[in-house]
Each structure stands twice: as structure tokens, then as C-alpha cells.
């Protein structure tokens, strides 16, 4: 090979390497499409039928929230939940892998990277008008998914609340400000929820998580490269006295529907006469440890995404056994206000089954308790 040919070959190789490096450094922006329906389902807040934290049957404290009877609904109610389908025919539910079963009644995880576009093809199978309203990402007035007087009309209103059987394609660009700041982890945490009758929609169950990665921070499957395991846990107070389905649930599950007393507390419609009996202090929709137990291994890089809900609530999620970093502070208790969102990074060093619960006394007693399991180190963390 003469020197000119050699030079050309080297130059070609170098150019190829540069293109390869550039392609790796800045992956092409994607449009990430999700097919999500609002479906009516009968939800069970305590499918095991017993208190898995105490290991005992429900007692006089837990029975008002878990067993139907006079003046209370018990553990089963009808809810509207966001569920993911495989395509726009909405015939086939996308199965939830075992490591994500802990999501419970939350909608599917919506993922994207800064620079991408999220497209949610939404179908309303519920009997009430509902919507999808996102936090954090960019939306125009025709994709905000919230009903209020904002000076718009026509097509800008079509997204505000979909009628039963209606569909809308929500398109949300993901600009830099939807991703993490330079001081945060590789992902930012947001949520989405219905916002037609905000309080009743969310109490009905219409909310879900959204995770946005820094540009180049995600694997092809959308998970962050610097994390081995992600867990989403909503500390969610549900007021079944202020749900889209309150009337239906009273008629169906309340032992003595004639005894219902309608109340308004702080402007919020509710049920009486038994005070808190229609509140459910849940973790992803489960009470007293009845949700699937998240598992991880010693030494894994575990990212917990913690979120709240829409009621007059505040939560103090507390991990036993291991510690986390939140906002560059080491702690084992997070602080969550209504619709609050937090990221907690954990590298577990302590194997075992550990309590994970809200430290607000009333919430803990009303069932806001769960567990997570740390298995011994594995030779094959990904
Ligand atoms: Cu709490």
C-alpha cells in the first residue's frame, strides 16, 4: 500500500471513529409512544386479606379500612386506573414485569430523555370525562389535559376532558428544563394525573410516574445507565369519600347505604358519619404490607422515586435497615408534601426484609406500611 492510500485509509477510519463517538455521545432524539387507557377496575387494597406487617389477622384498628360493614366500604372499591396497552386498538394490555408489580394502582412509568418527544395515545374507557395532565414536560394548550378557564377554545379544549370512549394524542416535548439539573442525579422525577375534577379524578386512581433522563444518560430500554434497579413508591392518601366513584362504591360496597351522610370538609365533599373510615393511607394502593415487596441486592445502585398525592396530607417515608441520599443529604426519612416528588439513591449494605413505612403516626396505624427485601450480593449485577 502506498503512502497516499495508507493516509486515505487512516483518515477514513478516523472519520468513522468520530462519527461513532458522536453517535454514542448524542443519541438521536426519539419519539416515545405510550398507549394508555383509563380503565374501570375493582381494586383490592389488601389482597392478602391480612396484616402482613404484624403477621396477624386484621384487628380493631385495621378493620375499618379493610373489611366492609355498616357505614364502611372495606378493602374493595371500583377505581379508574391508567393502564398501558400494546397499540392503538387498546385490545392487549402490556404485561407488567415482576420487578414492576410493586407499582400497584399507579399508571405505567413514562420514560424519556431530554430532547425526546413523548406521545401518549390516550383512550377514556371510564364513565366520567378524564384527562392526562403531565408535570415537568412541555405542553401547549391543546395538550395540557386540564379543564379551567384559560381563554382558549376549539381544539385547545379537546384535551381538557375526554368523553367516555374518546381518544386524544397528548404530545409533550422534553426540553432541557424537564431533565435533571447539573446538581441532580441522572434522572428527574415527575408525574401525570387526570385534571378534569382534579381531586375526584386522583382519588379515583388516575395518576402515574414519569422519569426523564439527562441527554445520553439512558440505556436503549429507557432506564438510567448508572442505576441497577428503580423503584417507584407513592405514599398516597385516597379519600374514597371524594372519588368519581363514591356514589357507586357506597351503593355497591357500603354495608348500609341508607346510613350515608354527605359532608363537606375544607370545601371537599366527603362521607360521614364515621370520620376517617373512607380514607385509605396506601403505598401504591396497598395497605398493611399487602403490596408486592421490592427486591434488590447488597451493593446494587438502587434509585427510589417517591411521590405523594392530592389530599390534605404529608408523609415521612422511612426506610429501616439502609440509608439513602436525597438532595445530597444522607438520611433514612424523606419528606413528601401533596403531589411532592423526591429521588432517593440507596446502595444497600444490609441484607434482610426491612420495614418501609410512613412515620406519621395516624398514617402508619391506618396501613401506610410496606417492606422491601435486600438479598445478599450477586455475582451478576447488570
Ligand atoms: Cu403519611
Amino acid at each position: 500500500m502506498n503512502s497516499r492510500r495508507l493516509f486515505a485509509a487512516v483518515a477514513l477510519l478516523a472519520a468513522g471513529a468520530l462519527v461513532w463517538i458522536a453517535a454514542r455521545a448524542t443519541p438521536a432524539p426519539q419519539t416515545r409512544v405510550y398507549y394508555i387507557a383509563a380503565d374501570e377496575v375493582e381494586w383490592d387494597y389488601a389482597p392478602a386479606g391480612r396484616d402482613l406487617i404484624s403477621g396477624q389477622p386484621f384487628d380493631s384498628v385495621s378493620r375499618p379500612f379493610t373489611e366492609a360493614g355498616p357505614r364502611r366500604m372495606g378493602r374493595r372499591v371500583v377505581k379508574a386506573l391508567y393502564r398501558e396497552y400494546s397499540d392503538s386498538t387498546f385490545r392487549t394490555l402490556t404485561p407488567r414485569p415482576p420487578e414492576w408489580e410493586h407499582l400497584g394502582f399507579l399508571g405505567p412509568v413514562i420514560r424519556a430523555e431530554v430532547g425526546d418527544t413523548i406521545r401518549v395515545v390516550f383512550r377514556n374507557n371510564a364513565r366520567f370525562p378524564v384527562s392526562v395532565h403531565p408535570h415537568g414536560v412541555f405542553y401547549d394548550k391543546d395538550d395540557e389535559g386540564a379543564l379551567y378557564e384559560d381563554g382558549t377554545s376549539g381544539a385547545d379544549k379537546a384535551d381538557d376532558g375526554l368523553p367516555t370512549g374518546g381518544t386524544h394524542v397528548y404530545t409533550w416535548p422534553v426540553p432541557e428544563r424537564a431533565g435533571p439539573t447539573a446538581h441532580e442525579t441522572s434522572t428527574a422525577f415527575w408525574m401525570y394525573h387526570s385534571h378534569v375534577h382534579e381531586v375526584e379524578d386522583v382519588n379515583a386512581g388516575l395518576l402515574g410516574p414519569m422519569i426523564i433522563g439527562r441527554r445520553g444518560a439512558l440505556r436503549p430500554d429507557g432506564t438510567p445507565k448508572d442505576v441497577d434497579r428503580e423503584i417507584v413508591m407513592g405514599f398516597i392518601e385516597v379519600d374514597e369519600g371524594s372519588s368519581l366513584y363514591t356514589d357507586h362504591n357506597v351503593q355497591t360496597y357500603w354495608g348500609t347505604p341508607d346510613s350515608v351522610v354527605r359532608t363537606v370538609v375544607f370545601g371537599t365533599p366527603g362521607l360521614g358519619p364515621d370520620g376517617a373510615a373512607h380514607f385509605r393511607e396506601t403505598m401504591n394502593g396497598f395497605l398493611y404490607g399487602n403490596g408486592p415487596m421490592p427486591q434488590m441486592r447488597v451493593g446494587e445502585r438502587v434509585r427510589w422515586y417517591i411521590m405523594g398525592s392530592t389530599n390534605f396530607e404529608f408523609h415521612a417515608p422511612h426506610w429501616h435497615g439502609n440509608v439513602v441520599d436525597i438532595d445530597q443529604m444522607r438520611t433514612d426519612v424523606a419528606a413528601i408534601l401533596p403531589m411532592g416528588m423526591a429521588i432517593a439513591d440507596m446502595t444497600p449494605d444490609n441484607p434482610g426484609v426491612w420495614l418501609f413505612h410512613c412515620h406519621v403516626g395516624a398514617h402508619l396505624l391506618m396501613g401506610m406500611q410496606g417492606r422491601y427485601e435486600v438479598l445478599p450480593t450477586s455475582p451478576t449485577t447488570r
Side-chain angles (χ1 to χ4, degrees):
M1 188 183 286
N2 65 32
S3 62
R4 191 183 293 169
R5 275 194 178 162
L6 181 64
F7 177 78
V10 168
L12 201 64
L13 273 173
L18 278 175
V19 167
W20 183 78
I21 289 167
R24 278 181 64 87
T26 53
Q30 295 183 37
T31 297
R32 299 181 188 254
V33 183
Y34 293 86
Y35 301 94
I36 297 175
D39 289 338
E40 294 186 348
V41 299
E42 186 185 66
W43 182 251
D44 190 338
Y45 284 106
R50 61 202 310 265
D51 184 334
L52 296 182
I53 302 298
S54 70
Q56 302 294 320
F58 292 123
D59 61 12
S60 59
V61 174
S62 49
R63 271 199 295 274
F65 314 109
T66 53
E67 289 182 7
R71 298 179 174 184
R72 63 193 200 215
M73 297 173 193
R75 60 187 235 217
R76 292 191 189 87
V77 291
V78 166
K79 306 196 77 65
L81 305 181
Y82 289 127
R83 299 203 295 178
E84 187 176 10
Y85 285 80
S86 60
D87 58 49
S88 61
T89 64
F90 290 97
R91 287 206 189 96
T92 309
L93 280 168
T94 302
R96 205 166 254 186
E99 67 270 24
W100 284 102
E101 283 176 0
H102 69 268
L103 281 176
F105 70 8
L106 295 182
V109 178
I110 292 179
R111 294 182 185 276
E113 197 171 88
V114 167
D116 291 347
T117 300
I118 296 168
R119 193 160 287 159
V120 173
V121 182
F122 176 64
R123 179 184 169 86
N124 179 16
N125 291 329
R127 71 190 75 173
F128 302 99
V130 297
S131 68
V132 189
H133 164 68
H135 287 228
V137 292
F138 192 90
Y139 42 77
D140 288 319
K141 278 295 177 186
D142 58 352
D143 285 314
E144 182 184 2
L147 177 64
Y148 61 101
E149 182 46 73
D150 57 1
T152 66
S153 59
D156 281 348
K157 285 282 175 203
D159 61 304
D160 291 5
L162 276 298
T164 302
T167 60
H168 183 81
V169 180
Y170 290 92
T171 301
W172 305 321
V174 184
E176 186 68 36
R177 56 95 149 158
T181 67
H183 303 289
E184 291 182 69
T185 66
S186 56
T187 48
F189 187 41
W190 305 103
M191 65 166 78
Y192 59 95
H193 57 90
S194 180
H195 207 310
V196 181
H197 300 97
E198 203 275 349
V199 176
E200 289 91 341
D201 294 6
V202 174
N203 281 315
L206 291 170
L207 75 168
M210 183 159 60
I211 297 171
I212 304 295
R214 189 176 285 127
R215 190 106 200 96
L218 303 185
R219 301 185 183 97
D221 68 358
T223 60
K225 293 172 185 168
D226 61 344
V227 167
D228 299 310
R229 190 170 300 274
E230 294 172 293
I231 295 158
V232 175
M233 194 58 72
F235 284 72
I236 297 172
E237 176 180 291
V238 184
D239 182 354
E240 289 292 352
S242 188
S243 158
L244 295 174
Y245 297 90
T246 298
D247 286 338
H248 173 87
N249 288 332
V250 164
Q251 290 302 322
T252 308
Y253 303 102
W254 185 283
T256 51
D258 293 345
S259 70
V260 165
V261 177
R262 301 284 173 183
T263 63
V264 177
V265 179
F266 299 122
T268 308
L271 287 181
D274 284 351
H278 48 277
F279 281 91
R280 298 289 177 273
E281 300 293 343
T282 83
M283 292 168 66
N284 287 356
F286 294 109
L287 299 170
Y288 301 103
N290 272 237
M293 202 178 346
Q295 282 186 330
M296 60 203 68
R297 289 189 179 275
V298 165
E300 281 187 328
R301 301 161 299 177
V302 180
R303 182 158 295 165
W304 296 80
Y305 301 94
I306 310 295
M307 58 192 266
S309 182
T310 199
N311 290 306
F312 190 62
E313 56 190 313
F314 62 97
H315 304 292
H318 169 49
W319 291 265
H320 283 225
N322 292 277
V323 301
V324 295
D325 291 354
I326 300 176
D327 264 348
Q328 301 182 29
M329 187 184 94
R330 191 147 293 149
T331 183
D332 59 5
V333 181
I336 293 290
L337 291 172
M339 285 313 196
M341 297 158 273
I343 291 179
D345 274 351
M346 170 189 283
T347 305
D349 59 359
N350 198 355
V353 171
W354 298 108
L355 193 61
F356 180 39
H357 68 95
C358 181
H359 235 304
V360 176
H363 294 173
L364 176 152
L365 293 172
M366 291 167 75
M368 199 170 256
Q369 303 186 63
R371 295 169 297 173
Y372 69 101
E373 182 171 22
V374 180
L375 302 165
T377 314
S378 159
T380 54
T381 49
R382 72 173 182 181

